[in-house]
Amino acid sequence: MKTVGTFCLVLHSHLPWLPHHGRWPVGEEWLYQAWAHSYLPVTAMLRRLADEGRRELLTLGVTPVLAAQLDDPYALRGVHDWLGGWQLRAHGAAPRLGELAAHEHRTSAAALTEFETRWRHGGSPVLRSLADSGAVELLGGPATHPFGPLLDPRVRAFGLEAGLADAALRTGTRPAGIWAPECGYAPGMETGYAAAGVRRFLVDGPALRGDTALARPVGDSDVLCIGRDLDVTYRVWAPRSGYPGGRDYRDFHTYDHPSGLKPARVTGRNVAPEDKAPYDPGRAAAAVARDAADFVAVVRERLAGIRERLGRPGLTVAAFDTELFGHWWHEGPAWLEAVLRALPEAGVRVTTLAGAVDAGLVGEPVALPESSWGSGKDWRVWAGSQVADVVALNTRVQEQLLAALSPGLVRDPLQDRLADQALLALSSDWAFMISKDSAAGYARGRAERHATRVADLSALLLDGKHTDAAALVESWEHPVFGHLDARSLAP
């Protein structure tokens, strides 16, 4: 079959730093659920396809702050315990939930086996093996996923370098592509990307006015931006019409409270939880096959239209949070596998972002506007009036960080700890969660906790009270990024 064009699937894996910062409902539990229901099955699916000799399946972004959690001994022990607890909950629910509990027991047992076989030494060996096999391209990014347009350029460059260096340490390769946090962009940021060795980054489709059929050089640079095709992406994940809301899929919001399991299918959008029909894995599998076929048809039609318009084969990029697949959408990993198998059979070339660029799918230079992938496709989620206090807090954190760093050739571990806490305070997650009213109290508390540590430690360092500063950090958790060298930020 003649190839109609090129499709790139991009998955963005990210959670803020969660170990030692609460357990339920948005602390460590959040990490362990995503790990069990998304990271384990998605990487297992990719390994199956790689073992068949399939290459360039997708582009996988794993933020440095998530990669650090997937390698953290405390978190590894925590998720292992969580997986065991999941199996026990399924076992205990058998008298009430019958076959559903048995299905859940089999799923949890498979997850335990996957973890104990592949993950006991952390996530980096898993990711590295997928990249080394050629199955995926790994994307990097700034260390703690900050909203770049609002950062002091020095702090922005420091966080990006820390993240790229961290990826090189964990996977053996420094990424050439990044998922810019929240797809946040301000004119001129491509200069910093070029200086860091970044060759390509993601933007949302509206930043390119919807013209996402080719990668585009940004301004006068040779750094490429690649746009997310919303017409294709929203076929999967749209608030009212995406596949996960289909009647036969497992309902995310309905719980069997004694066990914590989810026993119902969606049934209907306006059906009360107590009236929802029981989950049926067979019906869900049929829905996966139906919706995978629909998506393949959508992609092929999109690429045929691009080819007719350009007079040459073009590109469509669908990009999602990895956590959609498995955690939010129980059947998501199975749907991904079905799509990745079916697209080549439909005459669609599947490759990575690097593969698309290598194939010459590059257009004319473009001047990008201020943009993001958030509400309104502007900066309102991270810079709006509802988070004005967080914006002001972040400004103070950066000022205190920069002021406390003294020039010199001797590395000061206390300055490195200061930088570590500052980067955690600057995570974009806190403003996002507040703007979306999703665990806003937790988000504000986390931002203020890290900012307070920065204020206290920077004051002691400025006063030359190193003994007191050392005593202060003794009570903190271990640093997230032990390789940070704050000297690069010092005047």
Side-chain angles (χ1 to χ4, degrees):
M1 181 180 293
K2 184 178 181 180
T3 299
V4 68
T6 295
F7 171 79
C8 292
L9 175 64
V10 184
L11 297 182
H12 174 56
S13 317
H14 171 67
L15 290 175
W17 183 258
L18 297 168
H20 306 287
H21 289 282
R23 180 65 188 258
W24 174 267
V26 291
E28 292 172 17
E29 181 77 11
W30 186 10
L31 170 64
Y32 301 151
Q33 287 183 6
W35 204 332
H37 300 314
S38 293
Y39 309 145
L40 290 177
V42 168
T43 55
M45 176 272 295
L46 291 171
R47 188 179 66 251
R48 279 196 301 275
L49 296 180
D51 288 346
E52 296 174 9
R54 298 173 185 261
R55 299 294 179 260
E56 298 186 7
L57 294 166
L58 56 79
T59 301
L60 180 62
V62 180
T63 61
V65 70
L66 175 60
Q69 292 173 90
L70 300 182
D71 282 343
D72 182 71
Y74 172 87
L76 286 163
R77 174 60 186 267
V79 74
H80 193 219
D81 290 346
W82 193 95
L83 291 169
W86 177 20
Q87 188 171 47
L88 289 173
R89 287 187 286 116
H91 185 78
R96 290 181 301 102
L97 300 182
E99 178 53 35
L100 175 67
H103 169 77
E104 198 80 2
H105 195 278
R106 291 190 294 270
T107 305
S108 61
L112 266 170
T113 299
E114 175 71 11
F115 179 83
E116 292 174 348
T117 304
R118 304 283 179 175
W119 286 77
R120 289 306 298 269
H121 299 293
S124 289
V126 177
L127 298 174
R128 186 167 188 164
S129 65
L130 288 172
D132 288 349
S133 73
V136 305
E137 173 195 2
L138 294 178
L139 295 182
T144 57
H145 205 260
F147 191 70
L150 299 181
L151 296 183
D152 181 291
R154 293 166 292 177
V155 177
R156 185 165 65 221
F158 178 74
L160 178 58
E161 177 58 33
L164 296 174
D166 187 79
L169 285 171
R170 295 184 193 278
T171 64
T173 302
R174 185 181 174 98
I178 68 168
W179 182 292
E182 318 295 2
C183 292
Y185 175 79
M189 285 179 63
E190 68 276 4
T191 302
Y193 292 157
V198 172
R199 312 311 311 153
R200 52 192 171 271
F201 65 100
L202 270 293
V203 296
D204 212 2
L208 292 167
R209 299 175 181 83
D211 187 5
T212 59
L214 296 169
R216 309 281 289 279
V218 182
D220 296 330
S221 76
D222 59 359
V223 178
L224 301 175
C225 69
I226 301 173
R228 186 171 72 136
D229 187 335
L230 294 190
D231 288 341
V232 173
T233 298
Y234 282 177
R235 190 74 173 193
V236 179
W237 190 235
R240 297 186 181 279
S241 58
Y243 299 139
R247 64 184 182 276
D248 293 326
Y249 291 127
R250 174 171 281 184
D251 188 78
F252 177 82
H253 300 285
T254 302
Y255 283 88
D256 170 63
H257 289 284
S259 66
L261 304 181
K262 298 173 182 177
R265 54 186 172 93
V266 172
T267 310
R269 295 186 181 278
N270 299 314
V271 178
E274 62 273 16
D275 296 327
K276 289 184 181 290
Y279 179 67
D280 182 339
R283 292 180 67 121
V288 165
R290 179 185 66 240
D291 289 338
D294 178 77
F295 185 77
V296 170
V298 167
V299 170
R300 182 173 172 81
E301 181 180 359
R302 180 68 161 175
L303 290 171
I306 290 172
R307 183 172 188 140
E308 182 177 355
R309 176 170 61 86
L310 296 182
R312 58 174 287 195
L315 170 69
T316 183
V317 176
F320 310 95
D321 287 334
T322 306
E323 295 77 20
L324 166 62
F325 299 96
H327 175 53
W328 296 103
W329 182 19
H330 177 70
E331 298 81 7
W335 180 90
L336 280 177
E337 183 168 356
V339 164
L340 291 173
R341 290 185 182 280
L343 280 167
E345 298 173 359
V348 175
R349 183 194 177 205
V350 175
T351 189
T352 61
L353 296 182
V357 171
D358 290 344
L361 297 176
V362 179
E364 297 299 314
V366 64
L368 291 176
E370 295 181 352
S371 55
S372 80
W373 77 336
S375 301
K377 307 305 179 184
D378 53 24
W379 299 353
R380 70 186 66 177
V381 172
W382 301 276
S385 59
Q386 72 279 7
V387 290
D389 58 329
V390 175
V391 174
L393 190 71
N394 288 348
T395 299
R396 290 198 300 274
V397 163
Q398 294 177 83
E399 292 172 347
Q400 292 163 348
L401 168 65
L402 294 169
L405 299 176
S406 58
L409 298 177
V410 178
R411 184 173 182 180
D412 183 352
L414 293 173
Q415 292 185 352
D416 299 342
R417 296 299 300 274
L418 179 68
D420 188 75
Q421 286 297 314
L423 292 179
L424 289 172
L426 296 171
S427 168
S428 69
D429 299 272
W430 315 137
F432 178 88
M433 293 166 70
I434 294 166
S435 291
K436 298 298 183 181
D437 195 24
S438 174
Y442 177 87
R444 274 205 163 86
R446 285 294 305 276
E448 291 168 358
R449 179 176 186 179
H450 296 299
T452 298
R453 288 180 172 183
V454 170
D456 293 344
L457 181 53
S458 64
L460 291 172
L461 292 175
L462 282 169
D463 289 343
K465 298 179 179 179
H466 278 66
T467 300
D468 291 341
L472 175 66
V473 302
E474 275 294 314
S475 64
W476 297 355
E477 310 85 28
H478 60 75
V480 176
F481 299 105
H483 61 80
L484 287 183
D485 187 345
R487 288 178 296 180
S488 61
L489 270 171

